Amino acid sequence: TYEDFAAAVEAHPAPADDDFAPEIRELYDPPAAGVLSWVSKGEEISPRDQLDAGGYVLICAIKDPKSGRRHYEIGMLQPFEIG
């Protein structure tokens, strides 16, 4: 769930050389369906896979140059539902 992911992010910050801490990767192994493509500002995104009904989280894993933290660690994530 979104709550599980948010709690894991808070408990396990990303290391400097990776987008996610190993503890977070273990929670989502194998990776979830519906991984999105890399996008730039102003571009549209679409799932690579058909998304099943359920809850998902859209995250940004870009590193903030000032704090060194990933954007999702400082709140740039958005839960959403597919009905």
Side-chain angles (χ1 to χ4, degrees):
T1 67
Y2 166 75
E3 290 80 12
D4 294 338
F5 179 78
V9 165
E10 190 169 326
H12 307 287
D17 60 344
D18 202 352
D19 291 338
F20 299 98
E23 295 85 354
I24 294 175
R25 289 189 183 280
E26 288 175 16
L27 287 174
Y28 300 98
D29 186 32
V35 174
L36 299 175
S37 303
W38 291 102
V39 295
S40 297
K41 184 177 179 179
E43 291 182 323
E44 293 184 14
I45 58 174
S46 60
R48 291 183 182 164
D49 303 320
Q50 178 92 11
L51 294 176
D52 294 330
Y56 296 87
V57 179
L58 181 63
I59 65 167
C60 178
I62 294 172
K63 187 184 284 189
D64 179 70
K66 291 182 182 178
S67 69
R69 297 176 72 197
R70 301 292 172 182
H71 284 176
Y72 67 83
E73 294 178 298
I74 53 178
M76 197 173 200
L77 46 97
Q78 179 65 48
F80 64 97
E81 296 283 327
I82 299 290

